[in-house]
Each structure stands twice: as C-alpha cells, then as structure tokens.
Amino acid sequence: MAHPLPALAIAVVLVACSHDSRSSQSQSSAPAVADTAQASPDASPADNASSPPPLRDAYHTAPLDTVDAKTYQGWKYYNLNCARCHGEDVLGTTIAPHLILSLKPNGPIPNEGEFLSTVCGGRPEKGMPAWCTIGLSTAQIDTIYAYVKGRSDARLHPGRPARK
C-alpha cells in the first residue's frame, strides 16, 4: 500500500506555486491600472511627468569652493597618490601626518621648493616613497602643492572642489 504523505506534499507545493503566480499576476497588473487611471485625456504632459530625484542629499553635497584647473588637478593627484597615507582633505592618518601645519611658514615644509624636494625624494626613513622615481613628474607635484597649500592657508574647505 502506498503511503499518502508524498502525494500530500506534492499537493501542498502545487497550491503554493499557484498562489504565488496569482499574486505576482495581480501585482503586475495593479500598476498598469494605476497608470491608466492617472492619465486623463484632458491632462497636460507636464501634469503626468514625474519630478526628477533631487541632485543633492546629505551624502552628496555641492562643492564649497571653486578652484582653477591647476588646483583641481592637484586635488585629483593628491587623492590618487597621497590621501591613502596623508588622509582625505590633507588631515593626516595614523600612518602619515596631516600637511596643513607642515606647509605653514614656520612648518617643516615652508615653501614650494622644500615641498617638491620632499615629495620627489621621499622620506625613506619614515616610509614615504620617492615619488619622482615612481613616476610623478615635477609638474604633477606642483599641482599637488597648489591644492595642499590652499588647504594649509584655509582657502579651501574639506571635500571635492568645483572646477572653474
């Protein structure tokens, strides 16, 4: 004599599957009905257009500063090459110091020449590579200086600047 349990299990699965397909059909037809109900023949196209999502939110704020092309390129090079150690927005990390105080007139890197020689030659004793041997040109380092100096002089806020 065959046991009725396998037949019962198959029946339960079939009922569940047919219920899921009916509910998905009713869900997929519901928006179509709602869409046709919204569009009336005398409504203008502007009434039917949905408003676009906002361009800014709490995590995507507008840039606070507008900078020249050189400084903007420096921001990009800094974030590509320097930020992993010196931190976003030149604020430093546990690996390397922030550069805001370093580029002050009384800091250890008071001028552009000192900055260029430090970045180009590196500080091997502190773990900083010689960036000129890795592939950064002096022109690229000069753009990085423009950005870092702007942050040091408090002319630039943290975050991505806008380009003129």
Side-chain angles (χ1 to χ4, degrees):
M1 176 169 164
H3 199 282
L5 190 57
L8 180 62
I10 291 172
V12 169
V13 169
L14 289 175
V15 170
C17 288
S18 67
H19 176 67
D20 286 346
S21 68
R22 273 187 257 151
S23 65
S24 67
Q25 286 173 353
S26 67
Q27 287 173 355
S28 64
S29 64
V33 171
D35 287 344
T36 57
Q38 285 180 355
S40 64
D42 56 337
S44 71
D47 294 340
N48 291 334
S50 62
S51 62
L55 294 176
R56 304 283 179 213
D57 59 25
Y59 299 102
H60 301 94
T61 58
L64 297 175
D65 302 300
T66 302
V67 297
D68 60 10
K70 178 182 178 181
T71 305
Y72 186 77
Q73 190 64 40
W75 172 80
K76 292 191 325 186
Y77 284 137
Y78 175 85
N79 280 289
L80 183 65
N81 299 293
C82 312
R84 69 186 70 150
C85 294
H86 289 283
E88 269 188 59
D89 304 319
V90 196
L91 295 175
T93 65
T94 57
I95 298 170
H98 64 80
L99 301 174
I100 291 176
L101 294 177
S102 296
L103 270 67
K104 297 284 185 192
N106 59 348
I109 306 171
N111 56 49
E112 189 173 0
E114 191 67 34
F115 182 83
L116 179 64
S117 67
T118 302
V119 174
C120 196
R123 290 192 168 168
E125 71 282 357
K126 295 184 176 184
M128 180 177 168
W131 285 97
C132 287
T133 61
I134 296 175
L136 269 181
S137 68
T138 55
Q140 291 169 321
I141 295 170
D142 187 46
T143 64
I144 294 170
Y145 178 79
Y147 167 68
V148 174
K149 186 65 175 163
R151 288 284 295 127
S152 177
D153 292 346
R155 289 183 283 116
L156 300 177
H157 294 88
R160 179 184 67 83
R163 184 177 175 192
K164 283 186 187 177

